[in-house]
Short mmCIF file of all heavy atoms in Angstrom, two decimals:
data_model
loop_
_atom_site.label_atom_id
_atom_site.label_comp_id
_atom_site.label_asym_id
_atom_site.label_seq_id
_atom_site.Cartn_x
_atom_site.Cartn_y
_atom_site.Cartn_z
N ARG A 217 1.96 20.31 -4.66
CA ARG A 217 2.26 21.74 -4.64
C ARG A 217 2.39 22.19 -3.16
O ARG A 217 3.31 22.96 -2.77
CB ARG A 217 1.28 22.59 -5.34
CG ARG A 217 1.31 22.44 -6.91
CD ARG A 217 0.54 23.50 -7.59
NE ARG A 217 -0.91 23.39 -7.25
CZ ARG A 217 -1.77 22.64 -8.00
NH1 ARG A 217 -1.36 21.98 -9.01
NH2 ARG A 217 -3.02 22.70 -7.68
N TRP A 218 1.48 21.72 -2.31
CA TRP A 218 1.53 22.13 -0.92
C TRP A 218 2.79 21.56 -0.22
O TRP A 218 3.46 22.28 0.49
CB TRP A 218 0.30 21.67 -0.20
CG TRP A 218 0.35 21.80 1.30
CD1 TRP A 218 0.17 23.03 1.96
CD2 TRP A 218 0.58 20.80 2.28
NE1 TRP A 218 0.34 22.79 3.33
CE2 TRP A 218 0.61 21.45 3.53
CE3 TRP A 218 0.82 19.39 2.24
CZ2 TRP A 218 0.80 20.75 4.70
CZ3 TRP A 218 1.06 18.72 3.36
CH2 TRP A 218 1.05 19.39 4.61
N CYS A 219 3.15 20.32 -0.54
CA CYS A 219 4.34 19.72 0.04
C CYS A 219 5.57 20.52 -0.30
O CYS A 219 6.48 20.65 0.49
CB CYS A 219 4.51 18.27 -0.49
SG CYS A 219 3.30 17.11 0.29
N ASP A 220 5.63 20.95 -1.57
CA ASP A 220 6.77 21.75 -1.99
C ASP A 220 6.92 23.07 -1.19
O ASP A 220 8.03 23.64 -1.14
CB ASP A 220 6.74 22.07 -3.47
CG ASP A 220 6.92 20.87 -4.36
OD1 ASP A 220 7.47 19.86 -3.87
OD2 ASP A 220 6.48 20.93 -5.53
N SER A 221 5.87 23.49 -0.54
CA SER A 221 5.95 24.71 0.21
C SER A 221 6.42 24.47 1.64
O SER A 221 6.66 25.50 2.38
CB SER A 221 4.55 25.43 0.28
OG SER A 221 3.62 24.70 1.08
N LEU A 222 6.47 23.25 2.10
CA LEU A 222 6.84 22.96 3.47
C LEU A 222 8.35 23.27 3.68
O LEU A 222 9.17 22.84 2.88
CB LEU A 222 6.57 21.50 3.86
CG LEU A 222 5.07 21.13 3.92
CD1 LEU A 222 4.92 19.64 4.11
CD2 LEU A 222 4.35 21.92 4.93
N ALA A 223 8.61 23.85 4.83
CA ALA A 223 10.06 24.11 5.16
C ALA A 223 10.71 22.96 5.87
O ALA A 223 11.89 22.75 5.71
CB ALA A 223 10.15 25.35 6.06
N ASP A 224 9.83 22.13 6.55
CA ASP A 224 10.39 21.04 7.38
C ASP A 224 9.56 19.81 7.16
O ASP A 224 8.36 19.91 6.78
CB ASP A 224 10.45 21.40 8.84
CG ASP A 224 11.36 22.54 9.18
OD1 ASP A 224 12.53 22.50 8.90
OD2 ASP A 224 10.82 23.59 9.72
N GLY A 225 10.08 18.66 7.46
CA GLY A 225 9.32 17.43 7.48
C GLY A 225 9.33 16.67 6.21
O GLY A 225 9.18 17.28 5.12
N GLN A 226 9.47 15.36 6.28
CA GLN A 226 9.47 14.54 5.07
C GLN A 226 8.29 13.50 5.01
O GLN A 226 8.18 12.85 4.00
CB GLN A 226 10.82 13.76 5.02
CG GLN A 226 11.98 14.63 4.87
CD GLN A 226 13.26 13.87 4.43
OE1 GLN A 226 13.38 13.47 3.38
NE2 GLN A 226 14.21 13.73 5.41
N MET A 227 7.50 13.46 6.08
CA MET A 227 6.43 12.45 6.03
C MET A 227 5.40 12.79 5.02
O MET A 227 5.07 11.96 4.14
CB MET A 227 5.73 12.38 7.42
CG MET A 227 4.67 11.29 7.44
SD MET A 227 3.69 11.25 9.00
CE MET A 227 2.64 12.67 8.74
N TYR A 228 4.82 13.99 5.05
CA TYR A 228 3.82 14.34 4.10
C TYR A 228 4.28 14.37 2.68
O TYR A 228 3.58 13.86 1.78
CB TYR A 228 3.08 15.67 4.51
CG TYR A 228 2.11 15.46 5.61
CD1 TYR A 228 2.10 16.37 6.66
CD2 TYR A 228 1.15 14.44 5.61
CE1 TYR A 228 1.21 16.22 7.74
CE2 TYR A 228 0.28 14.33 6.67
CZ TYR A 228 0.33 15.22 7.72
OH TYR A 228 -0.59 15.05 8.75
N PRO A 229 5.42 14.94 2.38
CA PRO A 229 5.93 14.84 0.97
C PRO A 229 6.05 13.35 0.49
O PRO A 229 5.72 13.05 -0.59
CB PRO A 229 7.24 15.56 0.99
CG PRO A 229 7.15 16.54 2.15
CD PRO A 229 6.30 15.85 3.16
N GLY A 230 6.54 12.48 1.40
CA GLY A 230 6.66 11.16 1.06
C GLY A 230 5.33 10.48 0.78
O GLY A 230 5.19 9.77 -0.21
N LEU A 231 4.34 10.70 1.67
CA LEU A 231 3.05 10.10 1.47
C LEU A 231 2.36 10.63 0.21
O LEU A 231 1.74 9.89 -0.51
CB LEU A 231 2.16 10.36 2.73
CG LEU A 231 2.51 9.70 3.98
CD1 LEU A 231 1.64 10.11 5.13
CD2 LEU A 231 2.45 8.10 3.80
N CYS A 232 2.46 11.90 0.01
CA CYS A 232 1.81 12.51 -1.18
C CYS A 232 2.52 11.92 -2.48
O CYS A 232 1.78 11.75 -3.47
CB CYS A 232 1.93 14.06 -1.20
SG CYS A 232 0.85 14.81 0.06
N ARG A 233 3.74 11.72 -2.46
CA ARG A 233 4.42 11.19 -3.60
C ARG A 233 4.02 9.76 -3.85
O ARG A 233 3.97 9.29 -5.00
CB ARG A 233 5.98 11.29 -3.42
CG ARG A 233 6.52 12.49 -4.09
CD ARG A 233 8.03 12.60 -3.99
NE ARG A 233 8.42 13.57 -2.91
CZ ARG A 233 8.39 14.84 -3.07
NH1 ARG A 233 7.93 15.39 -4.16
NH2 ARG A 233 8.81 15.66 -2.05
#
Side-chain angles (χ1 to χ4, degrees):
R217 287 194 296 271
W218 173 75
C219 287
D220 289 340
S221 73
L222 292 176
D224 299 302
Q226 298 195 70
M227 183 187 75
Y228 282 133
L231 290 175
C232 289
R233 267 182 257 283

